[in-house]
Amino acid sequence: MSFRTTRTTSAVDYVEDVSPGSGALPPRAWYASSDATSYSLNGSWRFRLSATADAQDDSFAGEGYDCASWAEVTVPGHWVLQGDGAFGAPIYTNVLYPFPVDPPHVPTENPTGDHLRVFDLPSDWPSDGGAVLRFDGVESCARVWLNGTDIGEFKGSRLAHEFAVGHLLKPSGNVLAVRVHQWSAGSYLEDQDQWWLPGIFRDVTLLHRPAGGAGDFFVHASYDHTGGEGTLRVDSDVDGRVLVPALDIDVATGEAVTVAVEPWSAESPRLYDGELVTEGERVPLRIGFRTVALEDGLIKVNGKAILFKGVNRHEWHPERGRTLDLSTMREDVLLMKRHNINAVRTSHYPPHPAFLDLCDEYGLWVIDECDLETHGFGEQQWRDNPVDDDRWTPALLDRAARMVERDKNHPSIVFWSLGNEAGTGRGLTAMAEWIHGRDSSRLVHYEGDWSCRDTDVYSRMYASHEEAEQIGKDLDGGPHKRRELPFIQCEYAHAMGNGPGGLADYQELFETHDRLQGGFVWEWIDHGVAHPELGYAYGGDFGEELHDGNFVCDGLVFPDRTPSPGLLEFKKVIEPVRIQGDGADGTVRVTNAYDFADLSALAFEWAYQVDGETVEAGALSVPPLAPGESAEVKLPQAPAPARGGSETAWTVRALLAADTAWAPKGHIVAWGQVPVTARPVPSVSPTGRPALDGDRITLGPASFDARTGALRTIGGIAVENPRLDVWRAPTDNDDGTEWKSGINYSALWRALGLHRMRHRLDSVEAGEDALTVRTRVAPAAQEVGLGTVYRWTSDGERLRLTVSVSPEGEWKVPLPRLGVRLGLTGADRVTWFGGGPGEAYPDTRLASMVGRWESTVDGLQTPYVRPQENGARADVRWVELGGLRIEGDPEFFFGARRWTTEQLDAATHRTDLTAGETVWVHLDHGVHGVGTQSCGPGPLPRYHLLAEPAEFSFVFSVSDSPTQ
Ligand code: IPT
């Protein structure tokens, strides 16, 4: 006997069907009713995981099914992040599909989660009207049964789907069954650079729909900046009235009314509370009047060109994945506002709708992006790309409509984005045409088609400074339509690991050329997964067969939302007030860089610093400048320096004058420093003489090994000999390949052997007033080297080291660092005068403020998820630690850690780093820039550390400050 089974009649055919689904209601605006009841179905659900889509029949959906043996999961949530590994694991890929590319087919191994929830209706659930069951997000495909009736199936993971269920509900014992498949045809449209995380990851809600209740409605609220009037019209499926008490508005739906209003902007997010009243329901409205237009080749809101100081935001929580609660969403918005960010691109899908409410409320410009990416087809030259295949167009249009209809009443949204990295094709054009037709009050964005045939903006990702400048000067050519359009970088400054470098240089271009209307840093948060052994896990840590490592950790905040140095740098770079001056004439120049607001919400303070310490401070009166205006503001009479020969400077800060919704009074918005008198260079008159004492040479407070010339002690403090050091644990950016040049710095450095330099001792010369140690520092197998001379002098109390470096041979690569490394034991407390409080590198140093700072050694470390070079403090005049005071001539980069660079380099997670006895101290004359070539351009040439002759000095003495 022979038999054959085929899948053609399978009950799970819908999984591989390109259509968006069946049974769901048409999309509509997402709103919370004032009076209609709702019932949350979030909470604990029964759960059964199967290895394939068709392993189980649908009997579980019927009443009376015994699920006692099932596990439980929390909804909303991803099952792979629950059950301690019993329910599979996350997979991280950037571009690649983690399954064979054969659309619309998906693997037989298709983790499928059956979810069951039995519920009673609340006792006050009305008996009249209907009910709607809403799913706000399920990845990637679900079939739903209520009380045994199959009510439909859907795809479109980050979009809302509603079903009419009133006729099926009973007062008690309702059985809601949801079968979720990890892979479906929809997965081909959801190839975003993120973890693949199946599950019912957003809310499930039962909404009562009263008779005569509101249906869908569209709030049109424009602003005419010439007359200061707003026009409101609410188009509603169900007739009713629109009330806005503060504006004395009481009009019928569909009727326009024009009144004097305050406009909405991201800077002044004026919302008017209103209500839509239908026969059976009242729905609260939050109305923001603003007009978005493409005018004179610029994106204008309320008649003014705006500048995006934006970030790309994925939804992320280290324990809960893309399930975010309201307080986490609010935390994102507050952090953004407090760091001067004014815009968000919801990369790469519509966020939870509550996030958009927060953007309306606190003020952020939003590019709302559709849940669409087909990046993996790029691997096959875009063959079979769903966006260029008519069979898929209904699914694309469904996604566009679900985004626009759900989110259309948010004033914060100024652009609809078709999706990300999906190549080009007719499906995208169809989406753009539909969106333009449905909503003419916003602009359309898409980056993947540089001809801009469907879009209202020329958008690119990771364009270099050079190219951005060409575009800014209209020298980039391109198709006619594109030449007429403004330019934004929907992604730039890849914030992976240490960096991004070069932000200030981009900002200068954006502020110089009108056509450049800013950009969105990639990205907001590191998607590290909290892990018991690894701290935070990234790609590969779950044994994935394909993965993209820590490329998923590339945010301005760490997984726990602690701001990284990159965010602090971004805050400074985009500050809305510029404070500059040279101090010589006793004035500072203050410029208002807001697009709409004057400076009346800010108070200004001055502080006068002597050697980094504030000796006097006070209020500074600054006129309430209009946007774009500048004023020279007189500083007070400089207080006399405390003692002769001190370095003095002004620091001027702009602070919130009163509490705002997003930060308290006193929050610092912007600052500037103005040097007055320069630092006296530390000098040591060589009076001491090197003296031989057994196997030691002594000089002033120091002793050296007589044979090697290695420093041993200073004033009795043991010092592991300072030696030339050129290596740093490569950053994610060092490991990246520059897009244009193809250069990969860490590969070049390792090929040359800079991580294994050898030190050859040539001579130890005890002279009249100096001990001179001559060496050659070079890697095996290479003819290049660095002739290095250490010259020690002393005045009896202080010890000066002058290092002279002469490159030999032909150096074709920049050096990672150039300085000395030494070891100290018993060091913990660190005090310094220089840049701080955080780390800074040549192209990430704007946020570094010169002053007196304190830390512990551990506090100097920046916890990048993948360990790498970090923690350098710039412009350091002197530092005290481990009982020593070290002064620089000139200023230097300082860093200290409880592990060596080699250990840092070898570590893959923070938990690999274990503290040793020695604190390794780096005193660097120079460090190579950081750049952003983990995705994009490298450091600009002016930030390269070239192998060139160099001389630099440090003066060591015993300090009187405590070491611990
Ligand atoms: C770009 C993607 O749009 C984004 O999702 C992310 O992957 C980013 O790169 C890198 O982290 S696409 C890339 C080809 C530039």
Side-chain angles (χ1 to χ4, degrees):
M1 193 182 108
S2 73
F3 66 91
R4 214 161 87 100
T5 53
T6 64
R7 301 193 312 155
T8 47
T9 55
S10 156
V12 292
D13 275 356
Y14 62 92
V15 171
E16 294 186 332
D17 185 346
V18 297
S19 94
S22 63
L25 290 165
R28 60 168 185 147
W30 196 98
Y31 57 86
S33 180
S34 303
D35 45 17
T37 310
S38 68
Y39 180 59
S40 169
L41 292 164
N42 294 347
S44 183
W45 288 49
R46 288 298 190 146
F47 179 73
R48 171 181 67 187
L49 184 63
S50 305
T52 64
D54 59 0
Q56 303 283 349
D57 62 21
D58 58 9
S59 56
F60 80 109
E63 285 169 61
Y65 180 85
D66 179 9
C67 61
S69 63
W70 288 27
E72 285 183 23
V73 289
T74 299
V75 170
H78 306 277
W79 70 69
V80 291
L81 296 181
Q82 302 185 48
D84 288 329
F87 307 143
I91 300 170
Y92 167 56
T93 59
N94 168 10
V95 175
L96 302 178
Y97 287 100
F99 49 79
V101 180
D102 181 23
H105 302 295
V106 296
T108 300
E109 293 160 76
N110 187 359
T112 292
D114 288 334
H115 297 67
L116 255 190
R117 167 86 193 242
V118 179
F119 65 95
D120 298 340
L121 287 177
S123 54
D124 59 350
W125 192 264
S127 52
D128 69 314
V132 160
L133 176 63
R134 184 174 68 202
F135 294 90
D136 285 320
V138 182
E139 181 168 329
S140 79
C141 168
R143 174 162 220 120
V144 188
W145 295 263
L146 183 61
N147 292 330
T149 302
D150 176 359
I151 59 173
E153 26 77 31
F154 63 92
K155 305 182 188 86
S157 299
R158 298 102 201 175
L159 297 162
H161 293 85
E162 292 183 322
F163 296 88
V165 294
H167 58 296
L168 297 173
L169 286 174
K170 10 182 234 186
S172 62
N174 293 287
V175 179
L176 177 57
V178 186
R179 172 163 286 168
V180 182
H181 308 283
Q182 172 156 24
W183 308 120
S184 69
S187 305
Y188 283 99
L189 304 181
E190 296 174 6
D191 190 26
Q192 292 94 342
D193 175 9
Q194 60 180 350
W195 296 97
W196 298 88
L197 294 175
I200 305 175
F201 72 98
R202 286 189 193 151
D203 313 288
V204 183
T205 317
L206 189 64
L207 305 159
H208 178 243
R209 301 310 305 139
D216 189 21
F217 59 87
F218 196 161
V219 176
H220 302 276
S222 59
Y223 180 72
D224 176 2
H225 64 279
T226 58
E229 290 182 321
T231 298
L232 175 67
R233 192 188 78 232
V234 178
D235 294 335
S236 172
D237 283 359
V238 176
D239 290 345
R241 296 205 68 79
V242 177
L243 315 177
V244 188
L247 296 172
D248 279 334
I249 291 176
D250 179 352
V251 287
T253 52
E255 219 171 89
V257 53
T258 299
V259 290
V261 298
E262 287 172 47
W264 188 97
S265 73
E267 292 170 10
S268 307
R270 179 68 165 101
L271 289 175
Y272 289 91
D273 286 328
E275 222 173 12
L276 167 63
V277 183
T278 64
E279 198 193 326
E281 187 174 21
R282 306 178 84 92
V283 177
L285 306 175
R286 294 204 306 174
I287 302 157
F289 292 88
R290 91 277 176 283
T291 291
V292 184
L294 189 62
E295 229 175 71
D296 315 321
L298 296 173
I299 303 156
K300 292 192 182 175
V301 180
N302 302 337
K304 286 195 151 180
I306 57 171
L307 191 61
F308 291 117
K309 301 168 174 177
V311 288
N312 281 279
R313 175 181 179 269
H314 265 292
E315 294 180 311
W316 188 249
H317 185 279
E319 274 116 38
R320 296 189 290 276
R322 285 188 284 277
T323 298
L324 262 57
D325 59 15
L326 189 60
S327 71
T328 307
M329 295 185 223
R330 191 185 305 272
E331 197 180 340
D332 278 349
V333 170
L334 294 180
L335 276 168
M336 288 175 192
K337 292 292 289 185
R338 289 174 189 160
H339 290 89
N340 295 331
I341 288 164
N342 73 359
V344 189
R345 173 176 178 235
T346 70
S347 54
H348 299 300
Y349 42 81
H352 189 291
F355 178 75
L356 298 170
D357 285 338
L358 295 168
C359 294
D360 295 341
E361 187 181 324
Y362 292 95
L364 288 166
W365 307 117
V366 175
I367 297 184
D368 193 4
E369 190 149 276
C370 199
D371 192 4
L372 172 65
E373 172 156 344
T374 62
H375 207 163
F377 286 89
E379 300 294 299
Q380 53 195 53
Q381 293 71 51
W382 299 104
R383 243 184 342 274
D384 295 335
N385 186 2
V387 307
D388 200 22
D389 177 338
D390 294 340
R391 287 171 296 179
W392 291 84
T393 304
L396 304 184
L397 289 172
D398 180 72
R399 284 169 188 250
R402 285 190 186 280
M403 167 179 72
V404 172
E405 301 301 0
R406 192 196 75 167
D407 295 344
K408 58 186 178 290
N409 295 328
H410 291 283
S412 54
I413 298 173
V414 291
F415 270 97
W416 300 114
S417 176
L418 304 181
N420 184 57
E421 292 284 355
T424 57
R426 295 174 304 234
L428 290 166
T429 301
M431 290 171 83
E433 281 173 357
W434 184 87
I435 294 173
H436 275 128
R438 176 66 177 138
D439 181 14
S440 57
S441 73
R442 293 179 176 98
L443 305 175
V444 169
H445 170 270
Y446 176 62
E447 185 275 344
D449 181 1
W450 295 3
S451 78
C452 300
R453 65 169 285 171
D454 302 320
T455 66
D456 302 310
V457 62
Y458 176 28
S459 172
R460 289 276 303 282
M461 28 176 94
Y462 310 104
S464 65
H465 298 84
E466 194 188 353
E467 190 181 6
E469 183 167 22
Q470 290 294 104
I471 297 169
K473 291 178 171 165
D474 291 326
L475 297 175
D476 59 312
H480 176 75
K481 179 172 176 211
R482 189 174 95 186
R483 292 204 302 271
E484 305 290 304
L485 294 178
F487 177 80
I488 62 168
Q489 295 240 49
C490 68
E491 293 176 24
Y492 78 113
H494 195 248
M496 185 180 183
N498 187 334
L503 280 171
D505 311 272
Y506 273 118
Q507 194 61 24
E508 200 179 316
L509 292 169
F510 298 161
E511 291 181 11
T512 305
H513 303 284
D514 290 345
R515 190 186 179 194
L516 309 184
Q517 292 198 262
F520 297 78
V521 167
W522 186 267
E523 70 175 302
W524 174 243
I525 185 167
D526 286 342
H527 312 208
V529 178
H531 188 284
E533 283 92 45
L534 301 173
Y536 291 112
Y538 50 76
D541 289 334
F542 297 100
E544 303 105 291
E545 61 183 16
L546 290 176
H547 67 83
D548 288 292
N550 67 319
F551 206 64
V552 78
C553 293
D554 52 2
L556 291 173
V557 297
F558 294 110
D560 66 358
R561 292 188 155 69
T562 310
S564 78
L567 181 58
L568 303 180
E569 176 75 0
F570 193 41
K571 175 186 177 182
K572 176 76 177 118
V573 163
I574 58 177
E575 61 189 8
V577 183
R578 303 275 174 226
I579 300 166
Q580 290 144 328
D582 64 13
D585 61 355
T587 64
V588 276
R589 188 176 179 75
V590 178
T591 306
N592 178 351
Y594 283 111
D595 291 327
F596 297 92
D598 67 21
L599 297 188
S600 56
L602 302 177
F604 289 76
E605 282 178 1
W606 61 267
Y608 187 75
Q609 277 120 1
V610 177
D611 290 334
E613 266 178 328
T614 298
V615 293
E616 242 181 278
L620 187 69
S621 149
V622 173
L625 303 168
E629 271 183 8
S630 296
E632 300 291 335
V633 180
K634 187 115 196 67
L635 291 161
Q637 189 65 39
R643 49 184 183 276
S646 295
E647 178 177 352
T648 56
W650 298 97
T651 300
V652 174
R653 293 180 173 86
L655 334 142
L656 287 180
D659 290 351
T660 65
W662 47 270
K665 175 179 174 180
H667 164 84
I668 297 171
V669 172
W671 56 272
Q673 284 189 304
V674 175
V676 184
T677 50
R679 175 174 84 115
V681 173
S683 76
V684 173
S685 341
T687 52
R689 245 189 107 98
L692 189 62
D693 176 7
D695 59 355
R696 295 274 155 139
I697 294 171
T698 57
L699 174 65
S703 73
F704 299 81
D705 182 307
R707 198 173 52 79
T708 63
L711 178 70
R712 290 291 183 239
T713 60
I714 302 175
I717 297 167
V719 181
E720 175 84 32
N721 184 33
R723 288 214 299 187
L724 193 78
D725 191 8
V726 296
W727 182 238
R728 74 178 180 200
T731 63
D732 291 322
N733 283 315
D734 294 336
D735 284 340
T737 300
E738 273 186 19
W739 280 18
K740 195 165 165 215
S741 66
I743 288 176
N744 175 316
Y745 291 99
S746 72
L748 291 176
W749 292 338
R750 283 191 210 272
L752 194 61
L754 298 188
H755 58 309
R756 47 174 171 77
M757 297 292 264
R758 297 293 167 162
H759 297 244
R760 185 185 77 205
L761 178 64
D762 289 338
S763 65
V764 179
E765 299 159 18
E768 259 313 282
D769 58 1
L771 174 69
T772 305
V773 180
R774 294 180 195 280
T775 68
R776 186 174 189 276
V777 182
Q782 305 289 341
E783 62 178 354
V784 294
L786 299 168
T788 305
V789 180
Y790 306 89
R791 186 164 189 275
W792 298 94
T793 54
S794 175
D795 59 6
E797 247 179 67
R798 289 148 42 97
L799 179 71
R800 182 182 182 104
L801 164 65
T802 299
V803 184
S804 311
V805 181
S806 320
E808 295 165 11
E810 204 190 337
W811 282 85
K812 295 188 187 137
V813 295
L815 296 171
R817 67 167 4 116
L818 184 70
V820 296
R821 162 162 105 174
L822 55 89
L824 292 174
T825 43
D828 188 25
R829 243 175 71 109
V830 185
T831 319
W832 74 99
F833 173 27
E839 74 180 29
Y841 290 80
D843 52 348
T844 61
R845 71 193 306 168
L846 224 67
S848 172
M849 182 190 264
V850 175
R852 289 283 185 101
W853 306 104
E854 270 191 28
S855 175
T856 57
V857 169
D858 290 342
L860 293 174
Q861 316 306 310
T862 307
Y864 294 115
V865 172
R866 187 192 71 84
Q868 55 197 279
E869 164 63 27
N870 72 83
R873 269 48 180 188
D875 304 307
V876 175
R877 281 83 166 138
W878 55 255
V879 60
E880 291 186 350
L881 84 166
L884 291 182
R885 179 182 174 93
I886 307 168
E887 293 168 74
D889 178 13
E891 290 85 0
F892 58 100
F893 288 90
F894 159 77
R897 49 178 77 100
R898 297 187 185 281
W899 33 81
T900 61
T901 300
E902 290 70 22
Q903 289 164 327
L904 188 61
D905 189 2
T908 63
H909 294 81
R910 298 249 322 142
T911 45
D912 293 338
L913 295 169
T914 42
E917 286 294 290
T918 306
V919 169
W920 295 99
V921 179
H922 290 272
L923 311 173
D924 289 315
H925 179 57
V927 296
H928 186 57
V930 170
T932 175
Q933 66 274 22
S934 53
C935 188
L940 290 169
R942 60 178 170 274
Y943 303 120
H944 287 206
L945 177 62
L946 300 179
E948 285 172 344
E951 191 172 282
F952 47 95
S953 302
F954 302 101
V955 175
F956 298 86
S957 53
V958 174
S959 79
D960 36 15
S961 55
T963 58
Q964 297 295 323

